[in-house]
Amino acid sequence: MAGQVKKYLGFSMLCICMMIFPFQASAHTDNSEGYSKLSMDDSGLVYEIQLDYLELARIVDLGVTTNTTASDLAYALTKNENKLEEYFHSKLAVFNQGAKVEGSLGETGVERKLNRDYANLTFHYPIKNKDSAALQLTYDIFFEDNDSAHRNIASYEIGDSKGQFVFTSEKRELHVGEQTIIGQSIPFIKLGFHHILIGLDHILFIIALVVTSKRFIDVLKIMTLFTLAHSVTIGLTALNLLSIPAEIVEPLIALSVAFVAIEKYIGLSEKYRNGVVFIFGLIHGIGFAGALELNTTDWTAIWPIFTFNVGVEMGQALIIALLFPILILIRKYKWSYSVHLATNIAIFFIGLTWYFQRFLA
């Protein structure tokens, strides 16, 4: 009896500590993902790039802080155009038929998305030859001076060539006319896999579902529903056919984490569980798609969306493969219920803390 009391006291202390030292509201650690769109107009190549504003300001002194207003952020870009051009000329190179083309900074602006401010910069490169096969880009932004894990998701439509590409520290060159299906697939699979593994809220949601499942067939059923649901909203959101602000989605994701942790203990009927998991899967899909902005709505986006989703499923499968055998093993012991209870209490309080953090933010 005394041992049981000690265990529950320990669980209570764990929960109190989590409330005192709450996890970050975002539950994601990435903050330097960028987006690009490449197209041609009458004057040549148009390169539109979006970067996390504060990450850019760490490299280029723009004279801003975390408290700077949106209008002042926009003004700082205009005021420091020379500094920006100097930095991007050294980190972004465009070649046409092997010859380097010098570009110039045109429009600038600021956009708020994913709970962060992004700097929007448009560069113009005078290119007369519109042959996509003659075009090559080298992208070195942030890799050496800020974040080696930085990624930039690029969509391009140049001549007859349409597609997507992910710039990473390992893949810094884009040969527009030479992209293959495999070449486009692997980066998006990696992106999806990486995104779920850095998303602690998604991981805890999966853990809570698995912990409350008795048989592997139950895990397979609910994860299939979850996969179908988030696949729908990943596709719709990435194609810009569905747009729900992160200020709404992120608190709901946190609330879903808290709910699935206690659903077993509040008497929710098993017949409603599938519906609940499917609804929450739709919400999580919108969150997943936050990492996948393709700047296009045509058929060329279908394959990147599919391969990104494959990466997400691989991440989920890895979590389940590591967790479920452990649960099977400890269920042989009487104290397994205490472990399950402690896990669910911890997840509940973490989810609830995230909810209030995100809602109040």
Side-chain angles (χ1 to χ4, degrees):
M1 183 68 181
Q4 288 284 58
V5 171
K6 287 181 180 180
K7 286 181 182 178
Y8 282 105
L9 283 175
F11 302 154
S12 300
M13 288 300 296
L14 175 64
C15 297
I16 292 171
C17 287
M18 284 185 293
M19 293 299 288
I20 296 174
F21 304 105
F23 287 76
Q24 290 184 346
S26 67
H28 288 265
T29 57
D30 274 8
N31 60 349
S32 67
E33 234 165 34
Y35 307 94
S36 296
K37 183 178 181 180
L38 293 86
S39 59
M40 284 285 192
D41 64 11
D42 293 337
S43 62
L45 176 69
V46 180
Y47 194 127
E48 303 171 60
I49 185 169
Q50 292 185 323
L51 296 169
D52 183 289
Y53 197 112
L54 294 180
E55 291 296 308
L56 177 61
R58 290 175 60 184
I59 308 304
V60 181
D61 184 11
L62 300 175
V64 300
T65 67
T66 54
N67 297 319
T68 304
T69 64
S71 58
D72 287 338
L73 290 176
Y75 174 71
L77 293 177
T78 304
K79 180 182 176 182
N80 294 283
E81 283 186 356
N82 290 337
K83 289 183 181 179
L84 291 167
E85 278 198 336
E86 181 181 355
Y87 176 74
F88 281 93
H89 282 169
S90 67
K91 298 294 182 179
L92 193 63
V94 174
F95 298 88
N96 184 246
Q97 293 182 320
K100 187 174 182 179
V101 182
E102 293 296 333
S104 60
L105 177 60
E107 304 81 11
T108 63
V110 177
E111 181 180 347
R112 182 75 177 177
K113 63 181 180 181
L114 303 176
N115 292 322
R116 297 197 295 269
D117 291 306
Y118 277 78
N120 294 350
L121 308 170
T122 302
F123 291 88
H124 298 271
Y125 295 85
I127 295 175
K128 294 181 179 180
N129 182 0
K130 303 299 194 298
D131 180 12
S132 61
L135 195 62
Q136 176 187 338
L137 293 92
T138 301
Y139 182 102
D140 288 316
I141 297 168
F142 287 175
F143 296 138
E144 309 297 340
D145 50 21
N146 185 44
D147 182 7
S148 60
H150 170 70
R151 295 171 305 282
N152 191 293
I153 304 173
S155 297
Y156 58 87
E157 184 174 351
I158 299 172
D160 295 330
S161 296
K162 293 182 180 181
Q164 290 76 33
F165 185 80
V166 182
F167 288 109
T168 66
S169 58
E170 291 81 25
K171 282 187 164 289
R172 306 188 186 192
E173 292 187 359
L174 167 62
H175 298 265
V176 175
E178 300 178 8
Q179 287 300 294
T180 64
I181 292 293
I182 295 176
Q184 289 194 53
S185 302
I186 294 175
F188 284 98
I189 291 173
K190 288 182 177 179
L191 186 65
F193 186 80
H194 173 82
H195 187 66
I196 193 167
L197 293 187
I198 65 162
L200 189 54
D201 47 6
H202 303 305
I203 291 174
L204 290 185
F205 183 84
I206 294 169
I207 292 174
L209 288 176
V210 174
V211 166
T212 54
S213 300
K214 296 179 180 179
R215 301 170 301 167
F216 182 74
I217 190 66
D218 296 328
V219 174
L220 190 61
K221 185 188 297 182
I222 60 173
M223 293 316 301
T224 299
L225 283 170
F226 183 62
T227 296
L228 289 173
H230 73 61
S231 297
V232 170
T233 44
I234 284 177
L236 292 176
T237 305
L239 288 170
N240 297 315
L241 299 176
L242 176 66
S243 179
I244 300 178
E247 291 80 4
I248 296 175
V249 174
E250 290 299 319
L252 289 177
I253 289 176
L255 202 59
S256 74
V257 172
F259 182 82
V260 295
I262 62 167
E263 58 162 331
K264 181 179 177 181
Y265 306 101
I266 61 175
L268 181 70
S269 173
E270 284 288 333
K271 65 180 181 180
Y272 297 121
R273 194 182 198 213
N274 291 344
V276 169
V277 170
F278 189 82
I279 292 171
F280 285 153
L282 294 173
I283 297 170
H284 279 252
I286 302 171
F288 287 140
L292 190 66
E293 184 166 321
L294 298 176
N295 289 310
T296 183
T297 57
D298 64 22
W299 63 270
T300 61
I302 300 299
W303 188 248
I305 292 171
F306 173 76
T307 51
F308 175 84
N309 205 33
V310 168
V312 170
E313 304 319 317
M314 290 172 62
Q316 288 183 176
L318 176 62
I319 295 167
I320 295 170
L322 293 174
L323 178 63
F324 198 71
I326 297 174
L327 293 176
I328 294 297
L329 179 64
I330 66 174
R331 279 174 184 165
K332 297 177 181 179
Y333 302 96
K334 293 181 179 180
W335 45 263
S336 64
Y337 177 80
S338 300
V339 173
H340 292 166
L341 180 62
T343 302
N344 286 321
I345 289 175
I347 293 174
F348 170 74
F349 277 110
I350 292 172
L352 200 62
T353 301
W354 279 333
Y355 170 74
F356 286 112
Q357 285 181 328
R358 297 174 186 187
F359 182 78
L360 295 175

